[in-house]
Amino acid sequence: MRRNHEIDYRIYGEEIQIVEIELDPQETAIAESGSFMMMDQDIQMQTMFGDGSQANQGLFGKLVSAGKRMLTGESLFMTAFTNVGQGKKKVSFAAPYPGKILAMDLQRMGGKVICQKDAFLCAAKGVSIGIEWQRKLGTGIFGGEGFIMEKLEGDGMAFVHAGGMVIERDLLPGQVLKIDTGCVVAYTSGVHFDVEFVKGIRNMVFGGEGLFFATLRGPGKVWIQSLPISRMAARLVSYGTGKRKEEGSILGGLGNLLDGD
């Protein structure tokens, strides 16, 4: 038996997806502020401190829960969507940028998944959204996600968003996977996360891939994204600043060829 609310869902779209959650009477889904897209008439929306995973948490407990979310860069508030009508009702949430929505059944994943900041989209009520500290100083400084990551705990469904294409890898005990630090989306609690220094002076200076790898050691499951939002934002900034040679220039095409663009 699940302690968290049981919800049905369906994911639509390819490059920019939405997740449609079907709620029975009195069932509730929780979501990040700003992820709501649409809902049926008899769904009641309520803004709250924290994630509402503990009913008798009290004001202090709610403030602590909300404060933890602030450490991961999230809003103090979350929104609960409850079916107060008769029969099944639907509520939909949209991805914030191109990529994939991942459905995670926490009951089948040992009750805990660790994910990058800003990855959480929505979940069944009862799922706890907390923080996971990086215990090693080097991992926190150079791991790409800082000292704090999001921790999803419970036995319900949770949905996270990743950029670009997503690959799932099941790691055997002791098996190591090296990943660009920004490409790590999430991993189960049995996976050991660390960072490794890139070897070789030429690799460090001319490789263009950063100075560190994320190393994940099994057993467990790992989700990897092809397009971290930080990489996409950096590319957009580089194209948006300065005047490109093809703009207002007859020889712009030739200039771009010589410049490598």
Side-chain angles (χ1 to χ4, degrees):
M1 295 292 294
R2 295 180 189 262
R3 298 186 304 273
N4 303 160
H5 287 202
E6 295 188 45
I7 58 176
D8 298 317
Y9 71 93
R10 186 172 179 181
I11 295 175
Y12 294 92
E14 294 297 333
E15 288 79 16
I16 302 180
Q17 296 185 321
I18 67 169
V19 55
E20 179 187 81
I21 294 178
E22 187 177 73
L23 301 173
D24 291 329
Q26 301 307 312
E27 279 188 343
T28 301
I30 59 173
E32 273 302 339
S33 299
S35 62
F36 168 72
M37 180 179 172
M38 62 181 176
M39 63 184 178
D40 288 341
Q41 182 176 358
D42 290 327
I43 290 182
Q44 183 181 79
M45 183 174 66
Q46 181 179 13
T47 302
M48 60 183 181
F49 270 121
D51 54 32
S53 58
Q54 299 180 21
N56 301 319
Q57 201 172 22
L59 178 60
F60 179 76
K62 292 179 180 178
L63 289 173
V64 170
S65 176
K68 290 180 178 179
R69 287 175 42 73
M70 284 192 67
L71 291 175
T72 64
E74 303 289 2
S75 169
L76 275 172
F77 301 93
M78 296 191 72
T79 308
F81 298 84
T82 304
N83 180 2
V84 296
Q86 302 294 321
K88 296 179 180 293
K89 304 296 178 182
K90 296 177 181 179
V91 57
S92 299
F93 305 97
Y97 54 90
K100 299 295 181 183
I101 295 175
L102 308 178
M104 298 183 172
D105 188 345
L106 298 181
Q107 187 178 56
R108 297 183 178 181
M109 297 175 183
K112 177 180 175 181
V113 169
I114 301 163
C115 58
Q116 66 172 345
K117 294 181 292 184
D118 300 326
F120 173 72
L121 188 66
C122 58
K125 185 178 181 180
V127 172
S128 172
I129 299 93
I131 60 175
E132 179 78 6
W133 296 90
Q134 300 294 349
R135 296 177 178 86
K136 291 184 178 181
L137 180 64
T139 305
I141 295 176
F142 305 116
E145 299 299 336
F147 285 101
I148 303 171
M149 299 181 75
E150 284 187 324
K151 176 175 60 176
L152 310 179
E153 291 184 296
D155 59 11
M157 294 296 304
F159 302 87
V160 302
H161 182 262
M165 186 182 75
V166 177
I167 296 175
E168 295 184 16
R169 289 288 298 271
D170 291 300
L171 301 181
L172 300 174
Q175 183 180 1
V176 175
L177 185 64
K178 298 181 181 181
I179 310 174
D180 179 271
T181 53
C183 291
V184 179
V185 178
Y187 51 91
T188 53
S189 59
V191 174
H192 175 71
F193 178 80
D194 206 343
V195 294
E196 179 180 312
F197 197 70
V198 174
K199 297 178 181 179
I201 297 297
R202 282 184 297 180
N203 291 333
M204 293 167 51
V205 177
F206 304 111
E209 300 297 339
L211 300 180
F212 300 90
F213 292 121
T215 61
L216 295 104
R217 184 183 301 273
K221 183 184 289 289
V222 178
W223 291 265
I224 306 110
Q225 62 185 351
S226 65
L227 184 60
I229 183 62
S230 57
R231 184 180 297 176
M232 182 171 67
R235 183 57 61 90
L236 290 174
V237 168
S238 69
Y239 274 92
T241 56
K243 184 178 178 63
R244 290 179 58 81
K245 294 180 176 63
E246 71 269 16
E247 297 177 3
S249 172
I250 297 176
L251 299 178
L254 178 59
N256 283 335
L257 286 174
L258 294 175
D259 200 29
D261 294 333

